[in-house]
């Protein structure tokens, strides 16, 4: 926050200057990076049963001085098949109890009652649902105008080019770590959505969901195991081919 410099914890949309390490596991992906004295690890996964995606971001200050850091999560709502068709119908609002951004599209004939949400586990946050404000007139995803501002405006409602952006700011002492958890999800109606927000809030719920992901795939992929003289074939067949078939083909 002192310099205004920013980068993304994954190679997209704003690649940092140093290399990234990307690791894909059964049901999750992890992105590791170190930039300007700040180490980051971002783990992305979805709950096995609930309609919730978790983005768990761990940061650590290795710059030998106090740092003020912000972490910003950004999504663009579609709530239909094509964003160009649905964006004029999407209405956003803030759930005052949880601080989540809610989005609905009453003109979606299949899912008119569905309510989507984007949330972060931090009370010290600013937000906007205005994509034009976030990206800016001449901005891009790699260089959005919002990254040059001290906080987001809090704009919500109808007639906006809809998005959801949440920004949290915190101080990191020397060798100190901090965790930020973003969640993207939905419910069949407002009541169901609010229940999902409450059920999956907090670090314990996020880690319980990851544990269930690990357990599910371990139990599922261990059903069939082969052993051949070729270690590479064993590695590929015992888990990865089955995982790819289930996750990418059957589901």
């Amino acid at each position: 926050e002192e310099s205004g410099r920013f980068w993304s914890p994954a190679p997209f949309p704003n690649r940092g200057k140093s290399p990234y390490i990307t690791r894909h596991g059964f049901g999750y992906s992890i992105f590791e990076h170190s930039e300007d004295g700040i180490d980051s690890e971002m783990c992305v996964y979805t709950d096995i049963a609930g309609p919730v995606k978790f983005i768990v971001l761990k940061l650590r200050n290795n710059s030998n001085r106090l740092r003020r850091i912000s972490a910003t999560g950004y999504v663009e709502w579609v709530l239909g098949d094509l964003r160009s068709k649905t964006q004029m119908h999407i209405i956003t609002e803030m759930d005052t109890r949880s601080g989540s951004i809610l989005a609905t599209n009453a003109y979606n004939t299949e899912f008119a009652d569905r309510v989507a949400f984007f949330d972060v586990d931090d009370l010290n946050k600013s937000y906007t649902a205005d994509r034009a404000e976030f990206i800016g007139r001449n901005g891009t995803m790699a260089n959005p105008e919002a990254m040059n501002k001290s906080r987001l405006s809090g704009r919500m409602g109808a007639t906006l080019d809809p998005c959801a952006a949440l920004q949290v700011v915190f101080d990191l002492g020397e060798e100190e770590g901090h965790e930020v958890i973003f969640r993207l999800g939905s419910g069949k109606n407002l009541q169901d959505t609010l229940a999902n927000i409450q059920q999956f809030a907090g670090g314990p719920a996020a880690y319980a969901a990851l544990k269930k992901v690990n357990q599910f795939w371990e139990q599922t992929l261990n059903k069939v195991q082969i052993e051949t003289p070729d270690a590479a074939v064993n590695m590929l067949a015992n888990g990865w081919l089955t995982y790819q078939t289930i996750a990418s083909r059957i589901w």
Side-chain angles (χ1 to χ4, degrees):
E1 284 297 301
E2 358 173 276
S3 66
R5 188 169 170 231
F6 58 91
W7 61 90
S8 51
F12 181 84
N14 187 343
R15 179 187 290 267
K17 295 181 179 179
S18 55
Y20 288 80
I21 298 175
T22 303
R23 294 186 284 121
H24 300 296
F26 297 130
Y28 66 90
S29 292
I30 294 177
F31 305 87
E32 297 177 346
H33 185 60
S34 182
E35 189 87 7
D36 199 19
I38 303 297
D39 296 342
S40 65
E41 177 188 284
M42 183 172 70
C43 183
V44 182
Y45 56 96
T46 61
D47 188 74
I48 285 297
V52 178
K53 174 181 180 179
F54 296 90
I55 303 99
V56 180
L57 178 64
K58 296 179 180 178
L59 300 172
R60 186 172 183 82
N61 177 13
N62 289 318
S63 59
N64 298 320
R65 60 189 177 91
L66 178 68
R67 304 292 291 276
R68 170 151 282 214
I69 304 291
S70 66
T72 306
Y74 173 84
V75 297
E76 293 184 358
W77 300 118
V78 178
L79 305 187
D81 53 356
L82 294 173
R83 188 174 180 279
S84 58
K85 287 165 52 179
T86 62
Q87 66 182 93
M88 69 184 73
H89 303 305
I90 294 174
I91 297 176
T92 53
E93 61 179 308
M94 173 67 69
D95 174 41
T96 54
R97 187 176 67 173
S98 66
S100 300
I101 297 177
L102 307 179
T104 56
N105 177 10
Y107 287 85
N108 187 325
T109 54
E110 297 285 337
F111 305 105
D113 295 330
R114 298 260 174 171
V115 180
F117 73 89
F118 189 50
D119 194 14
V120 63
D121 283 337
D122 200 310
L123 296 176
N124 181 27
K125 59 188 172 186
S126 61
Y127 57 87
T128 185
D130 185 358
R131 180 175 176 270
E133 171 203 335
F134 188 88
I135 295 180
R137 181 182 296 272
N138 298 311
T140 64
M141 283 296 296
N143 186 27
E145 187 176 301
M147 293 293 95
N148 298 313
K149 298 179 179 179
S150 59
R151 59 186 290 110
L152 304 175
S153 70
R155 293 193 69 191
M156 290 274 169
T159 72
L160 298 176
D161 185 0
C163 76
L166 294 168
Q167 186 175 81
V168 297
V169 181
F170 46 90
D171 292 322
L172 277 182
E174 182 181 346
E175 300 297 324
E176 187 179 1
H178 187 77
E179 182 177 79
V180 181
I181 302 177
F182 294 96
R183 290 183 307 281
L184 176 67
S186 70
K188 297 177 181 178
N189 49 49
L190 178 59
Q191 184 177 358
D192 187 37
T193 297
L194 295 179
N196 284 334
I197 292 173
Q198 184 175 8
Q199 177 185 351
F200 293 104
Y207 284 103
L210 181 58
K211 184 177 180 181
K212 289 179 182 178
V213 168
N214 293 331
Q215 290 174 342
F216 172 83
W217 284 112
E218 183 178 353
Q219 293 168 4
T220 302
L221 301 178
N222 282 341
K223 299 296 184 185
V224 177
Q225 296 284 298
I226 69 167
E227 185 175 344
T228 76
D230 191 329
V233 170
N234 297 342
M235 175 69 73
L236 189 63
N238 294 331
W240 286 108
L241 291 180
T242 310
Y243 173 72
Q244 182 186 32
T245 301
I246 294 174
S248 300
R249 305 294 185 267
I250 297 175
W251 286 354

